[in-house]
């Protein structure tokens, strides 16, 4: 395998590999870039350009403008996002959920949140259903810990709640041919039937608000861009079923601590899990991949590279709200005025402060989990 092959970009809902070229994804998926103008439009409702918009974590969309036009005419929208419970939640997962909460507060909307224990079971040969289901409830604690309120937050657990979803899933499934599904998702002869049906289930929360309330409004989906194929097929059939097309706002993948910003539950040392102890957090951050040089002398002379540094990315997307301070950190890094150890220490402190609070709230969430269940 050549280096180029190793770096080849693959982005599907089930696999992200290589160096991700986001401009290319916008072109190939046919989404729209999130323009300055749209950012400003959101800012009007969100009390300023929120950190994850300003730093362009969210960078692409479909029909966000349409949804805002409708909102301004008095037609509200609902939010929909979700999580495939394949392991414990790490900090990278929380970032788009935090943004979703800001959207929810700004627009005073419902959130439907789907836990896809079915999906994670069918797509992984090794997965055990009772385990993905168990993880769905564990993962829900992290969502609740972020401060969502049960009055407008509805968690769907696919396996437990399939009776609520099944009629809409059938209506969706009947309108999508195998040929469309195969070309959208790359299904093979060896793909199992559960996997092939699953996209119909992920489409359901786009439409479920009408079944529950009688109100027909569009859904806006904050999601990582790898989920786009699901919404492409859903958008194609929405009008035929009498619904609005679901709109989306897409985020980049939040980098992990490994080389190339990898964070993966299957490589636990590259991800900070929400239940990690403060000692473990320090250790993981200490080993994080940075843009530093081999020796201190060299780094003082030549400076380091914040653009490839995973530690810097955490300040960028979550832990340094102040633009001037971020800019200063960037400058000092490039000038060789700050060493990687200094940044790591500061980040570990910030992460541990955040996680200390999060872990307390996560414990409390155990008593409240039923209040958030869509079937309550
Ligand atoms: N398929 C997603 C995953 O594996 C889970 C999911 C379901 C989702 N519905 C969603 C993610 C809506 C974002 C938005 O993580």
């Amino acid at each position: 395998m050549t280096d180029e092959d190793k770096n080849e970009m693959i982005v599907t809902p089930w696999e992200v590999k290589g160096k991700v070229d986001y401009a290319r994804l916008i072109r190939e998926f046919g989404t729209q870039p999130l323009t300055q103008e749209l950012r400003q439009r959101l800012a009007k409702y969100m009390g300023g350009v929120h950190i994850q918009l300003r730093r362009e974590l969210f960078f692409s969309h479909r029909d966000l403008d349409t949804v805002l036009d409708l909102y301004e005419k008095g037609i509200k929208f609902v939010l929909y996002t979700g999580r495939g419970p394949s392991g414990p939640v790490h900090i990278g997962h929380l970032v788009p959920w935090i943004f979703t909460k800001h959207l929810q507060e700004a627009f005073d909307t419902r959130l439907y949140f789907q836990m896809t224990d079915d999906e994670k079971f069918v797509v992984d040969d090794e997965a055990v259903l009772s385990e993905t289901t168990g993880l769905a409830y564990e993962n829900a604690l992290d969502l609740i810990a972020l401060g969502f309120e049960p009055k407008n937050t509805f968690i769907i657990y696919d396996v437990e709640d399939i009776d609520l979803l099944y009629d809409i899933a059938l209506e969706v499934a009947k309108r999508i041919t195998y040929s469309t599904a195969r070309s959208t998702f790359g299904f093979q002869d060896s793909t199992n039937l559960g996997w092939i049906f699953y996209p119909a289930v992920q489409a359901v929360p786009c439409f479920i608000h009408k079944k529950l309330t009688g109100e027909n409004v569009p859904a806006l989906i904050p999601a990582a861009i790898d989920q786009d194929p699901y919404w492409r097929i859903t958008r194609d059939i929405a009008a035929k079923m009498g619904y609005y097309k679901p709109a989306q706002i897409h985020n980049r993948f939040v980098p992990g601590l490994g080389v190339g910003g990898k964070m993966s539950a299957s490589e636990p040392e590259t991800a900070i899990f929400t239940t990690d102890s403060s000692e473990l957090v320090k250790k993981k951050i200490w080993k994080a991949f940075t843009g530093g040089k081999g020796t201190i002398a060299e780094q003082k002379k030549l400076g380091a590279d914040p653009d490839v540094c995973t530690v810097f990315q955490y300040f960028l997307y979550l832990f340094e709200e102040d633009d001037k301070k971020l800019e200063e950190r960037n400058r000092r890094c490039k000038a060789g005025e700050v060493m990687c150890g200094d940044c790591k220490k500061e980040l570990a402190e910030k992460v541990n402060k955040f996680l200390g609070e999060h872990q307390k709230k996560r414990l409390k969430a155990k008593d409240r989990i039923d209040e958030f269940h869509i079937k309550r």
Side-chain angles (χ1 to χ4, degrees):
M1 205 190 253
T2 66
D3 271 356
E4 209 162 305
D5 293 337
K6 262 188 268 165
N7 249 336
E8 193 208 345
M9 173 174 83
I10 298 178
V11 176
T12 77
W14 306 292
E15 187 183 22
V16 177
K17 255 177 52 189
K19 185 167 165 33
V20 180
D21 177 343
Y22 290 100
R24 190 176 136 200
L25 284 178
I26 288 183
R27 277 198 314 276
E28 287 179 5
F29 284 5
T31 68
Q32 305 297 315
L34 195 63
T35 58
Q36 197 55 26
E37 187 209 332
L38 265 173
R39 256 181 258 275
Q40 290 302 333
R41 249 182 115 180
L42 281 176
K44 227 174 55 193
Y45 296 96
M46 297 180 82
V49 189
H50 188 269
I51 171 167
Q52 285 128 22
L53 275 181
R54 221 162 59 226
R55 310 273 164 85
E56 301 193 16
L57 177 67
F58 285 84
F59 71 104
S60 149
H61 77 101
R62 287 184 191 268
D63 273 353
L64 177 63
D65 44 350
T66 313
V67 161
L68 291 176
D69 290 346
L70 287 167
Y71 188 83
E72 279 159 17
K73 284 191 209 132
I75 298 170
K76 286 187 86 160
F77 57 86
V78 294
L79 290 164
Y80 161 36
T81 190
R83 151 99 185 129
S86 51
V89 165
H90 56 58
I91 291 196
H93 297 128
L94 299 181
V95 183
W97 299 352
I98 291 170
F99 182 73
T100 302
K101 182 157 171 287
H102 284 282
L103 277 176
Q104 185 186 44
E105 281 161 6
F107 292 94
D108 186 23
T109 61
R110 272 195 186 198
L111 167 65
Y112 293 101
F113 193 100
Q114 183 176 38
M115 290 289 180
T116 61
D117 46 352
D118 51 351
E119 174 188 24
K120 292 297 136 175
F121 173 61
V122 295
V123 306
D124 176 358
D125 285 345
E126 307 298 317
V128 175
L129 187 55
S130 60
E131 286 172 10
T132 59
T133 295
L135 280 166
Y137 299 94
E138 274 296 311
N139 291 178
L141 301 176
D142 286 295
L143 181 77
I144 296 168
L146 293 178
F148 287 94
E149 291 295 335
K151 70 171 192 311
N152 55 9
T153 305
F154 297 79
I155 304 177
I156 301 165
Y157 303 93
D158 280 352
V159 172
E160 182 177 349
D161 300 332
I162 193 63
D163 54 339
L164 184 66
L165 313 179
Y166 197 49
D167 55 350
I168 302 177
L170 285 173
E171 296 283 353
V172 170
K174 191 174 181 176
R175 290 171 173 83
I176 297 169
T177 64
Y178 179 60
S179 137
T180 299
R182 190 184 46 206
S183 63
T184 306
F185 295 106
F187 292 145
Q188 312 274 318
D189 283 353
S190 57
T191 306
N192 71 63
L193 268 184
W195 193 337
I196 293 164
F197 182 74
Y198 172 73
V201 178
Q202 183 155 329
V204 174
C206 299
F207 305 137
I208 201 156
H209 184 73
K210 186 171 176 199
K211 175 172 170 179
L212 297 176
T213 66
E215 226 178 24
N216 194 8
V217 297
L220 173 64
I221 310 169
I225 185 121
D226 64 318
Q227 299 294 304
D228 186 66
Y230 284 115
W231 323 124
R232 241 179 272 151
I233 54 165
T234 309
R235 286 166 61 82
D236 284 347
I237 56 158
K240 288 182 229 157
M241 293 174 63
Y243 299 110
Y244 288 97
K245 288 184 180 187
Q248 296 134 66
I249 174 164
H250 300 122
N251 62 278
R252 295 170 208 258
F253 307 109
V254 179
L257 300 171
V259 180
K262 232 172 123 54
M263 173 166 329
S264 128
S266 52
E267 290 171 65
E269 68 286 359
T270 63
I272 299 167
F273 297 108
T274 59
T275 51
D276 283 351
S277 70
S278 59
E279 274 315 300
L280 190 53
V281 167
K282 275 191 217 159
K283 255 193 229 152
K284 285 179 175 177
I285 293 181
W286 197 251
K287 289 195 202 144
F289 175 75
T290 69
K293 294 287 190 295
T295 66
I296 290 190
E298 207 184 333
Q299 186 156 335
K300 281 192 172 153
K301 203 166 119 209
L302 301 170
D305 182 2
D307 292 342
V308 300
C309 173
T310 62
V311 172
F312 186 78
Q313 303 286 306
Y314 276 84
F315 287 112
L316 176 70
Y317 290 134
L318 197 58
F319 289 112
E320 183 52 85
E321 296 246 358
D322 185 322
D323 289 348
K324 285 216 180 72
K325 285 191 186 155
L326 187 81
E327 187 43 48
E328 181 60 8
R329 185 182 297 279
N330 189 51
R331 187 196 66 73
R332 292 180 66 217
C333 171
K334 284 183 180 154
E337 292 172 21
V338 61
M339 296 298 116
C340 297
D342 305 329
C343 284
K344 287 175 172 174
K345 229 186 246 151
E346 272 182 69
L347 181 67
E349 267 164 37
K350 294 215 182 203
V351 170
N352 277 331
K353 185 157 168 268
F354 172 82
L355 280 188
E357 288 301 309
H358 184 82
Q359 287 167 0
K360 276 187 228 147
K361 294 182 205 150
R362 194 176 183 281
L363 264 183
K364 286 199 193 125
K366 292 194 177 170
D367 300 326
R368 300 179 63 211
I369 191 165
D370 292 342
E371 295 171 44
F372 291 84
H373 187 184
I374 193 163
K375 291 197 294 197
R376 59 206 181 209

